[in-house]
Amino acid sequence: MTDITASPPEVDATERRRLRWALVIISMVQLMVVLDSTIANIALPFIGRDLDISAANLQWIVTGYALAFGGLLLLGGRLGDLYGRRLVFTVGIVIFVSASLLGGLAQSEFMLLGARGFQGLGAALASPAALALITTTFPAGPERNRAFAVYAAMSGAGAAVGLILGGWLTGLDQPLGMSGWRLTFLIVVPIGLVAAFLAPRFFNESEKHPGELDVPGAITGTLGLLGIVYGLSRAGDAQYGWGDTWTVASLAVGVALLAVFAIIESRVEHPLLPFRIFASQTRAASFLAMALMPAAMFSMFFFLSLFVQNVMGYSPLKTGVSFLPFSFGIVISATIVSSLINRIDARYIAGVGTLLASAALYGFSRLSVPDGASDVLNSLSSGEALGSGVNYWTEILPFVLLMSFGMGAVFVPLTLTAVHHLRSEDSGIGSGVLNTMQQVGGALGLATLSTVATSSMTTRAQDIAPAIGEGLNQAAQQDPGLMDRLAGMFRVDSVDQVVQQVAGLGAFPDGATSAFFVGTFMMLAGSVVVWLFLNVKHEELATDGPEGVHVG
């Protein structure tokens, strides 16, 4: 049986220039959307102080964006299919930029949280449209592979760039007469305005496909995803966990609504999510793998950034810069892979990438810090970080680079195989599913690994707390004001709470390394999916047209 293939069309100089600018625009927007998920993280304490936001509500600055983004991706992808991907892409950018401006100028908690929600809406419209525009703008073969490589690199590097920019901007002393944290929102405004201005010039509008918008499916699907993402975000917060009433309720309601959504989609004439996109084994495997692997990668960013800042004692800016090699590594890896994908099957490239990433996570799990009660007390009294002896160059950097090379080798082929040979009218929703898998997978991974970390930290804290309490009491006899100063530093009221906080400092390294260890197996699970089920050939990826066209 022989595949029908076609040689990629020749691209003239004018068209090549248009494609180059189109790729620049897509890269700008995807980087902008992804970095916004992390850029405000380091700024949270400063935002809370300036706008008088409680510690409990600060999490909504991060969660609000994730909720809107993850919950609306399917709807955003389908709107692009129905009403034109260039239009939806541009509208998404404009909404995102407007919300960023509102967030940067916010004078109250309500304004800022509302802005974050609208940023998520804009991202949910722009991101799947950007991916779909690659499939409709770039011809199959090297040009499209290169575009997917850049898109994947921006998706992977964006989180690291967000940490770097967030640390730098937050540390600025009253730039332009305003708090540095405001620039974490305002910095994307000129970038987005340029992208929105250029998009109509370099993208052709996609065909508008007839068909009614599936309103019942849109409502149940969106609310179901919102429930799932909210429940997983709450489960990952040590303050609530999996047993919290609202966690359980939101997850249960989310699952129930998605079940209703599935029933609706199987019966309507124009479904929001046509189940035919899951008929391809390769595409289904790509979706599943893309849920498992970002779960481990984004959790790596979360725990490693806390480890570097809280255990090794790095400043916010230095913490951000420590992730800079990841950005370079994933760009280099994606560039190399975009050439290899023309000659080597996706299974082998992505499979090796998952093994490299698994090795990196295992390497992080081997980080060792002296965390006995006496070590914690000595660190507290001397002011020296508990993990000051950890060498970044030999114990952190090699595994950061290994992770970046591995994820570059994963993102490019899986992004390509997830949307390859989709029907033209389904490319938007297919892109939305891929992005949804990444968002929901990331939330699930962080919730799961946070639970692992919390369990390990609790056990370790219980082991060292008695000795820490005894040591602090002895020190307080010589320095009567010690407990009051510690209570003020940790913002607690009692001696017992002070002991718990100090014990938590010593317990965190154990929790983080436990999370890295379990994350290794998440990545290996994704590796199994890739090796067993990603069976598309590299020759087929160089063709356009309907799926499964063969002659016997």
Side-chain angles (χ1 to χ4, degrees):
M1 190 161 64
T2 306
D3 290 336
I4 294 177
T5 61
S7 299
E10 292 293 328
V11 179
D12 61 29
T14 302
E15 180 65 6
R16 185 172 289 109
R17 176 178 175 273
R18 186 182 76 86
L19 294 179
R20 190 178 300 119
W21 274 104
L23 185 55
V24 168
I25 296 167
I26 288 174
S27 302
M28 290 165 56
V29 172
Q30 186 62 12
L31 179 64
M32 182 176 69
V33 165
V34 176
L35 71 82
D36 231 65
S37 64
T38 59
I39 193 170
N41 289 17
I42 294 175
L44 291 180
F46 302 89
I47 296 173
R49 182 189 62 202
D50 282 6
L51 298 184
D52 194 26
I53 302 176
S54 67
N57 286 347
L58 272 178
Q59 65 163 330
W60 282 101
I61 296 174
V62 176
T63 305
Y65 180 77
L67 271 176
F69 188 21
L72 296 168
L73 275 166
L74 287 182
L75 179 59
R78 200 54 171 167
L79 288 176
D81 289 335
L82 295 177
Y83 301 109
R85 295 177 194 113
R86 187 183 69 182
L87 173 63
V88 171
F89 179 68
T90 306
V91 169
I93 297 172
V94 171
I95 292 174
F96 189 91
V97 166
S98 302
S100 299
L101 181 62
L102 179 64
L105 301 177
Q107 299 300 312
S108 68
E109 177 180 343
F110 176 78
M111 282 182 66
L112 183 59
L113 295 183
R116 286 296 275 173
F118 277 106
Q119 276 186 314
L121 168 61
L125 294 175
S127 190
L131 183 55
L133 282 170
I134 291 178
T135 65
T136 57
T137 302
F138 295 84
E143 292 285 349
R144 185 178 296 175
N145 295 345
R146 190 177 303 112
F148 275 125
V150 173
Y151 178 91
M154 294 303 101
S155 298
V161 173
L163 290 174
I164 297 165
L165 280 176
W168 173 55
L169 294 172
T170 301
L172 294 178
D173 184 21
Q174 291 292 311
L176 305 177
M178 64 179 70
S179 299
W181 67 262
R182 293 186 180 277
L183 290 183
T184 63
F185 293 95
L186 297 176
I187 193 171
V188 301
V189 172
I191 300 172
L193 288 175
V194 170
F197 174 76
L198 293 177
R201 297 185 60 189
F202 294 101
F203 292 107
N204 297 321
E205 183 57 283
S206 62
E207 180 184 351
K208 293 179 173 65
H209 297 280
E212 298 177 359
L213 178 63
D214 173 20
V215 176
I219 293 173
T220 54
T222 299
L223 293 179
L225 284 173
L226 285 172
I228 294 291
V229 175
Y230 174 73
L232 291 175
S233 300
R234 196 174 176 91
D237 190 331
Q239 183 179 352
Y240 305 109
W242 291 94
D244 174 73
T245 301
W246 282 105
T247 299
V248 175
S250 61
L251 288 173
V253 170
V255 170
L257 285 171
L258 289 181
V260 174
F261 171 72
I263 295 171
I264 292 172
E265 298 308 278
S266 67
R267 298 180 178 180
V268 297
E269 182 180 357
H270 302 289
L272 181 77
L273 177 59
F275 291 149
R276 59 179 174 266
I277 71 171
F278 298 106
S280 163
Q281 176 181 301
T282 291
R283 187 175 304 118
S286 300
F287 288 152
L288 179 57
M290 274 299 219
L292 290 169
M293 288 177 284
M297 189 194 78
F298 293 135
S299 298
M300 179 274 290
F301 278 116
F302 178 78
F303 289 106
L304 190 60
S305 63
L306 289 177
F307 186 94
V308 169
Q309 192 167 359
N310 297 340
V311 179
M312 296 172 63
Y314 281 24
S315 68
L317 177 57
K318 192 175 180 181
T319 298
V321 172
S322 70
F323 285 95
L324 188 59
F326 182 92
S327 300
F328 288 124
I330 198 168
V331 170
I332 292 170
S333 175
T335 302
I336 294 172
V337 168
S338 69
S339 298
L340 294 179
I341 199 71
N342 298 317
R343 303 188 297 273
I344 301 173
D345 291 352
R347 169 189 294 171
Y348 302 113
I349 298 175
V352 170
T354 58
L355 296 178
L356 291 176
S358 299
L361 288 168
Y362 181 74
F364 290 132
S365 77
R366 306 300 296 168
L367 288 169
S368 179
V369 173
D371 58 358
S374 60
D375 299 307
V376 177
L377 291 172
N378 288 336
S379 171
L380 193 65
S381 61
S382 67
E384 189 174 74
L386 186 65
S388 58
V390 176
N391 189 312
Y392 171 81
W393 301 102
T394 60
E395 298 180 72
I396 302 290
L397 179 60
F399 300 113
V400 168
L401 289 173
L402 193 63
M403 188 74 173
S404 69
F405 295 149
M407 295 314 295
V410 165
F411 276 141
V412 175
L414 289 187
T415 302
L416 183 58
T417 57
V419 298
H420 181 64
H421 277 177
L422 275 170
R423 294 184 183 184
S424 177
E425 66 268 25
D426 292 337
S427 61
I429 187 62
S431 303
V433 171
L434 179 64
N435 281 280
T436 300
M437 289 296 182
Q438 289 178 310
Q439 291 298 310
V440 174
L444 177 60
L446 185 57
T448 302
L449 297 184
S450 293
T451 301
V452 171
T454 300
S455 177
S456 296
M457 288 174 62
T458 300
T459 302
R460 182 61 183 161
Q462 290 173 345
D463 291 341
I464 62 177
I468 286 176
E470 183 179 342
L472 288 175
N473 287 330
Q474 291 176 359
Q477 292 175 5
Q478 300 178 4
D479 181 4
L482 174 65
M483 286 300 187
D484 288 336
R485 292 198 302 275
L486 290 176
M489 182 175 73
F490 291 119
R491 298 182 181 180
V492 295
D493 301 320
S494 67
V495 172
D496 287 343
Q497 289 176 316
V498 168
V499 173
Q500 290 173 5
Q501 290 291 325
V502 176
L505 294 176
F508 178 78
D510 195 62
T513 52
S514 296
F516 289 136
F517 185 70
V518 175
T520 303
F521 291 95
M522 279 187 175
M523 189 63 70
L524 288 174
S527 185
V528 170
V529 172
V530 167
W531 286 107
L532 292 182
F533 302 111
L534 198 71
N535 56 12
V536 66
K537 299 298 182 182
H538 67 274
E539 295 90 349
E540 187 179 348
L541 290 178
T543 66
D544 269 322
E547 202 164 21
V549 178
H550 303 284
V551 293

